[in-house]
Amino acid sequence: MSGGPTARDVRLIAPAGAAWLGAVLGGFVPLRPALCVAGLLVLLAPVACLRRSALAVVVAVALASGAAAIFVAGIRSPTAIAGSLTSLADRHATVVVAAVVRDDPQVRRGRARGTVRAPTLILVAASTRDVRADTTHIRVRVPILIIATGPGWTSLLPSQHVTVAGRLTPAQSSDQVAATLFARGPPEQVGPPSLLQRVAGRLRAGLRDAAAPLPSDERGLLPGLVDGDVSRLNDDVRDNFRTTGLTHLTAVSGANVAIVAAAALGLARAIGLGLRGRAGFAALAVLGFVILARPSPSVLRAAAMGLIGLAALTGGRRVGLPVLSATVLVLVLVDPALAITDGFALSVLATGALLTLAPHLRDRIGARARWAPQWTVDATAVALAAQIATAPYIALRFARLSLISVVANLLAAPAVAPATILGVLAAVLAPVVLPVAHVVGVVAGVPTGWLVVVARIGADLPGASIGWPRGATGLVALLGVVVAAIIVARRQAARRPAAAMFAGVIVGIAAIHVIPSQWPPRDWAMVVCDVGQGDAVAVRTAPGEAVLFDTGPDPVAVDRCLRKLGVRRLPLVLLTHFHADHVEGLPGVLRHRAVGELDVGPLDEPPEEHLRVATWAKARRIPIHAVVPGELRSVGAVTWEVVAPMHEFRGTNSDPNNSSIVARVSAPGFTAMLTGDVEPPAQADLLDNHVPLQADFLKIPHHGSSHQEPQFLAAVQPRIAVASVGAGNSYGHPAASTLEVLRAAGAQVFRTDHDGGVAITMRSGKLVAMAERGRGSPPLTVAGAVPAAGRVTMALCARRPESRHSRSSWATRPSSSNARLPRWLRRRVPRIRTPTSSRSSRRHWLRRTSPCCSRRRCSVSGASSSCGPSKMLPLMARSARLRRSLGPPKS
């Protein structure tokens, strides 16, 4: 297997692959079957050597390597050595565990599901030393996963001894731990960490201190670039990096090690060291980096891959593959758990592509682009090779495929090395001279900021990433793509047609994402953002400026919506109530936007969300204003009145929901009723207080749940109604009965889980609704075409058999005390009478002429209700027919 000067020795690839596969098999298969398979491979190995050929020797060594990996993985499997610990976990026993921390605690912030937010969890990888139950005492060393909440956990360092009390449960097979311990309270009897870990902890803390002067995005990203510390990385930056295929930059990889080693070699050469001196200096630099990033198995793996990649770049292409194969073989035998980690697989694939595919791509690209600088050719070849090698794994493992990964990595490549080197320098200087480290950190923020910009712009491009099918379908599709790529690569005649087909697919994907949407329209007046199971409504007040009602549960989603709308200034943000699905998106709203004021309701529940909102507002020095009923506010041509809550609700099914702010917004040409999550008690309270409710647009209360007061929906009489809901939510929102009632009343109903965001605009004096996912509404004649002084609100209520006022089911409410009906309406509806201007007389007239204005209210909980949907549908349908028969005003 030798050849010319560039021939590669590939004999160790088969043993390395067999060992890798054996380690995976030994980790998932029970011990006895795994040992049987290993014994069978050992018996087959001598048989393969009978033919006395080089291939037979390779096969025999591969069989032996696979058997060794299965044996090591089997006997070191946590479930195999757990012993009595497994029985304790199976019965969920309460135990006290003495353990040693193996890695940095990982913070997992819970995501909001509707109005409920999962708690923030802290995951600590540890190794047991002593386990005590009621009548059981076990001394065993096995890895476990500690899941905890509360203080005292995030400050732990690897190698610290802790005592933890909690409940033991079985672990998932993919966790590679013997059991999971749900801790109760903070750790006890915490011992000091080792000297090495104390040094590493001090360096990492110094890097965070050095990055303190940077903006929030760069401040969270710089430690991730240097040592993989993403504890302060913003969720939106994390998502942008994932979409653009730059996630590998926020984890310790072989690239980090190669950059540090290359910088050390360059410095050693500059100061005149010899060949051995350079090698020793580079080795010390790599050792220091390993200490900085923690000497965990993943970091050691990255160090090995980085040194291999550095050797390949400096002329070791011939020995690169044997060294890579030997490294994989040794690593999976020493630590079989690495075989099933994503980082190990991606590192091996990327390093292999760097050794084999990148040189060929560099030669071909250089031959066709002789005008390009050599460094751009090298960077393009490396990025393209890594993308080709890792894309199949990413598609199968994560069901996503980035289409702009190569371009994003090319744009990011010039900034990665400066940011990494400056970050390492800042970490070293911080414990000694922090002011100098601050200066270095600020300089490092320049390339780090460039990475943030690349990720943000790339994530905003249409079709930046596409989904890939999971399971057998995805595997078959992937095999088909790989076979087609091999055929095209081997046949020159098929390359141009294949390139044309690929370009057509890319153009088609871009067309799917760009052409049909045309959303939002340039003349949008109000937009209901698609933020999942939550609310966020933007009302335009000026170019680049809007008033926002609620922020949704996801900072990334609401930030993306506001960026699409071009909103840069928010004079006011109103939070209807403090449930997570209405306020947790506030950090995304505050990103790079000026916010003038934050309006909140009277009820500060739940208290934890109220505290979070207050903390975010204080950090940005945004004043908080508590609204009162009847308060009238305006920005530009947009005016809104706070019509509820009249008081704090206590003792209802959901006090925060019923205490939601309800605002009646008046924009040029239309009115909108934004209702938060009010439920029947609050809706009935609005009816009892005779609040003007009629509006052209309705944000359906509580995401369209079935808990609605039919008279409330009838009083609003919306032309357009939107339910802001998340796809596949577990609450059954929106309820079919609620949507049917609104459709029967003549409203056009949208739901954000199906239609995406919904934009409202005025065109030629008509109200138009446009959905993000291609659905639009025909132009609707706006009630605002009637002069404002003569606008009439008609509230349709169900007749009650027991009501002595059942003869009249229509009531009129002038919008002001001196309102007059237009002549055309008086001719068409002669029975409508205008009450006197006295407020008390008008209230008496409304109560007398309309049964739904009486103090008695009906319930929609039972089928026998006199005001249930079955009674409301024909009446509301008649309302829609009458409204259509009236038509527009005549000139």
Side-chain angles (χ1 to χ4, degrees):
M1 295 188 183
S2 60
T6 60
R8 295 183 177 89
D9 191 342
V10 297
R11 288 174 293 182
L12 280 178
I13 292 180
W20 192 350
L21 183 60
V24 173
L25 183 65
F28 286 99
V29 177
L31 181 59
R32 289 186 178 180
L35 294 180
C36 292
V37 174
L40 179 61
L41 295 179
V42 170
L43 294 177
L44 291 177
V47 176
C49 295
L50 295 178
R51 296 194 58 178
R52 295 183 180 181
S53 65
L55 181 60
V57 173
V58 171
V59 172
V61 174
L63 292 174
S65 301
I70 293 175
F71 177 77
V72 173
I75 63 174
R76 294 189 60 182
S77 173
T79 56
I81 59 179
S84 302
L85 189 68
T86 303
S87 61
L88 291 176
D90 290 338
R91 56 189 176 92
H92 299 265
T94 300
V95 297
V96 177
V97 179
V100 179
V101 180
R102 295 189 297 131
D103 204 350
D104 288 303
Q106 303 293 322
V107 179
R108 294 289 184 269
R109 184 184 172 198
R111 289 192 176 271
R113 291 177 176 267
T115 58
V116 180
R117 167 169 284 279
T120 298
L121 301 178
I122 302 168
L123 280 58
V124 182
S127 179
T128 63
R129 292 297 183 266
D130 186 270
V131 181
R132 293 179 182 271
D134 294 335
T135 59
T136 308
H137 181 201
I138 306 172
R139 293 184 178 275
V140 62
R141 294 193 175 190
V142 291
I144 63 170
L145 178 65
I146 301 175
I147 300 179
T149 58
W153 290 97
T154 56
S155 59
L156 293 178
L157 295 177
S159 76
Q160 283 191 281
H161 289 253
V162 296
T163 302
V164 188
R167 180 169 52 88
L168 208 61
T169 62
Q172 300 290 335
S173 59
S174 58
D175 290 338
Q176 287 297 297
V177 294
T180 300
L181 179 67
F182 287 89
R184 296 176 179 173
E188 302 174 357
Q189 301 179 9
V190 179
S194 65
L195 176 62
L196 185 63
Q197 294 295 345
R198 286 201 300 270
V199 173
R202 184 57 185 267
L203 290 174
R204 291 161 72 93
L207 177 57
R208 291 192 294 268
D209 293 340
L214 298 176
S216 59
D217 292 348
E218 290 81 354
R219 184 169 62 246
L221 179 59
L222 183 59
L225 293 173
V226 177
D227 56 25
D229 180 10
V230 293
S231 59
R232 300 185 179 183
L233 187 63
N234 292 336
D235 290 338
D236 52 352
V237 178
R238 193 192 309 267
D239 291 341
N240 290 342
F241 270 61
R242 186 182 297 114
T243 302
T244 53
L246 299 175
T247 307
H248 61 91
L249 298 180
T250 60
V252 179
S253 64
N256 299 77
V257 180
I259 290 171
V260 173
L265 286 175
L267 181 60
R269 180 180 300 175
I271 61 179
L273 293 180
L275 184 60
R276 293 184 178 180
R278 297 175 196 169
F281 190 77
L284 288 176
V286 172
L287 177 61
F289 178 78
V290 169
I291 294 174
L292 170 64
R294 304 267 194 236
S296 61
S298 60
V299 175
L300 295 176
R301 176 262 307 162
M305 297 300 169
L307 292 177
I308 294 172
L310 183 64
L313 290 176
T314 55
R317 288 172 50 183
R318 179 166 183 154
V319 298
L321 273 180
V323 174
L324 175 63
S325 303
T327 303
V328 171
L329 181 60
V330 172
L331 287 176
V332 297
L333 290 177
V334 172
D335 188 5
L338 282 175
I340 62 172
T341 60
D342 297 325
F344 181 77
L346 294 175
S347 288
V348 173
L349 293 173
T351 306
L354 177 66
L355 296 172
T356 57
L357 187 58
H360 294 288
L361 292 175
R362 181 181 60 189
D363 296 341
R364 291 181 177 273
I365 295 173
R368 287 172 171 76
R370 296 179 181 178
W371 48 268
Q374 186 62 38
W375 69 270
T376 59
V377 174
D378 294 340
T380 304
V382 170
L384 188 59
Q387 173 74 357
I388 293 173
T390 58
Y393 183 88
I394 293 174
L396 285 181
R397 179 68 177 83
F398 303 105
R400 298 295 300 177
L401 189 61
S402 176
L403 300 181
I404 62 168
S405 176
V406 174
V407 177
N409 277 277
L410 285 176
L411 294 175
V416 175
T420 302
I421 295 172
L422 291 171
V424 172
L425 182 60
V428 174
L429 293 174
V432 183
V433 279
L434 185 58
V436 178
H438 280 160
V439 175
V440 177
V442 171
V443 177
V446 176
T448 306
W450 169 250
L451 296 176
V452 172
V453 171
V454 169
R456 182 188 305 150
I457 295 176
D460 287 341
L461 293 177
S465 64
I466 60 174
W468 191 269
R470 295 183 181 270
T473 304
L475 180 61
V476 171
L478 181 62
L479 290 176
V481 172
V482 171
V483 170
I486 293 175
I487 294 175
V488 169
R490 294 177 64 88
R491 297 186 179 182
Q492 186 173 2
R495 292 175 187 171
R496 290 187 178 180
M501 290 177 60
F502 180 75
V505 170
I506 298 298
V507 172
I509 292 174
I512 290 174
H513 285 80
V514 176
I515 295 176
S517 62
Q518 298 296 320
W519 191 93
R522 293 183 179 180
D523 56 347
W524 67 272
M526 182 174 68
V527 169
V528 181
C529 295
D530 180 14
V531 292
Q533 185 71 11
D535 287 356
V537 181
V539 182
R540 192 175 197 170
T541 56
E545 181 181 284
V547 174
L548 186 66
F549 295 82
D550 286 326
T551 66
D554 186 359
V556 178
V558 69
D559 178 40
R560 184 178 296 117
C561 177
L562 293 177
R563 274 190 279 147
K564 288 181 179 179
L565 299 176
V567 174
R568 299 180 300 277
R569 299 180 304 278
L570 292 164
L572 184 140
V573 175
L574 185 146
L575 304 178
T576 59
H577 60 296
F578 286 104
H579 274 160
D581 57 335
H582 293 254
V583 303
E584 278 293 327
L586 186 57
V589 174
L590 300 179
R591 279 178 44 82
H592 308 298
R593 292 181 188 89
V595 176
E597 183 180 297
L598 194 64
D599 280 11
V600 298
L603 191 64
D604 56 353
E605 293 182 5
E608 61 274 9
E609 292 296 339
H610 176 263
L611 178 61
R612 291 168 66 82
V613 169
T615 303
W616 291 327
K618 183 179 180 181
R620 293 288 298 269
R621 299 180 179 178
I622 300 173
I624 298 179
H625 168 68
V627 301
V628 296
E631 184 173 343
L632 192 64
R633 306 289 298 275
S634 64
V635 176
V638 176
T639 304
W640 66 95
E641 180 184 2
V642 177
V643 299
M646 301 293 182
H647 55 85
E648 294 183 10
F649 283 82
R650 298 290 183 180
T652 63
N653 184 47
S654 176
D655 292 341
N657 283 349
N658 285 307
S659 299
S660 295
I661 296 175
V662 177
R664 191 172 187 269
V665 181
S666 297
F670 70 95
T671 56
M673 186 64 67
L674 306 181
T675 56
D677 281 353
V678 290
E679 295 182 349
Q683 297 174 12
D685 191 62
L686 286 168
L687 293 171
D688 282 350
N689 287 279
H690 313 301
V691 173
L693 298 176
Q694 191 274 339
D696 305 307
F697 172 88
L698 172 67
K699 201 289 298 180
I700 305 177
H702 201 188
H703 318 291
S705 75
S706 59
H707 300 291
Q708 308 287 342
E709 188 79 17
Q711 293 94 330
F712 177 81
L713 300 180
V716 180
Q717 293 188 25
R719 302 291 185 93
I720 300 171
V722 177
S724 185
V725 292
N729 69 86
S730 59
Y731 307 99
H733 296 166
S737 59
T738 301
L739 303 185
E740 187 60 33
V741 167
L742 289 166
R743 291 192 182 101
Q748 186 174 17
V749 179
F750 293 85
R751 44 190 294 180
T752 57
D753 57 342
H754 292 171
D755 304 313
V758 180
I760 307 298
T761 184
M762 293 294 300
R763 293 182 178 176
S764 301
K766 297 184 178 181
L767 189 66
V768 178
M770 296 184 63
E772 184 176 5
R773 293 174 188 159
R775 176 185 167 197
S777 71
L780 302 173
T781 302
V782 188
V786 182
R791 184 177 300 175
V792 176
T793 300
M794 292 181 290
L796 174 64
C797 299
R799 294 182 179 180
R800 299 182 181 179
E802 69 276 15
S803 174
R804 62 186 177 90
H805 303 295
S806 58
R807 290 186 178 183
S808 175
S809 62
W810 288 91
T812 62
R813 299 180 191 170
S815 58
S816 62
S817 60
N818 59 349
R820 296 180 180 273
L821 292 175
R823 292 181 178 178
W824 68 271
L825 184 56
R826 286 206 301 268
R827 291 197 304 268
R828 301 289 290 273
V829 191
R831 273 194 272 179
I832 294 181
R833 298 290 187 268
T834 303
T836 62
S837 58
S838 169
R839 181 176 181 181
S840 60
S841 300
R842 185 167 67 252
R843 179 173 298 179
H844 173 73
W845 177 82
L846 286 168
R847 187 175 294 124
R848 177 174 57 82
T849 57
S850 178
C852 70
C853 298
S854 63
R855 289 296 178 184
R856 300 181 59 187
R857 298 192 301 269
C858 58
S859 171
V860 297
S861 59
S864 61
S865 170
S866 62
C867 293
S870 61
K871 298 288 184 65
M872 291 296 298
L873 291 178
L875 294 173
M876 299 182 78
R878 188 174 66 183
S879 166
R881 289 196 298 270
L882 178 59
R883 187 170 65 236
R884 287 194 294 269
S885 68
L886 295 178
K890 296 181 179 179
S891 57

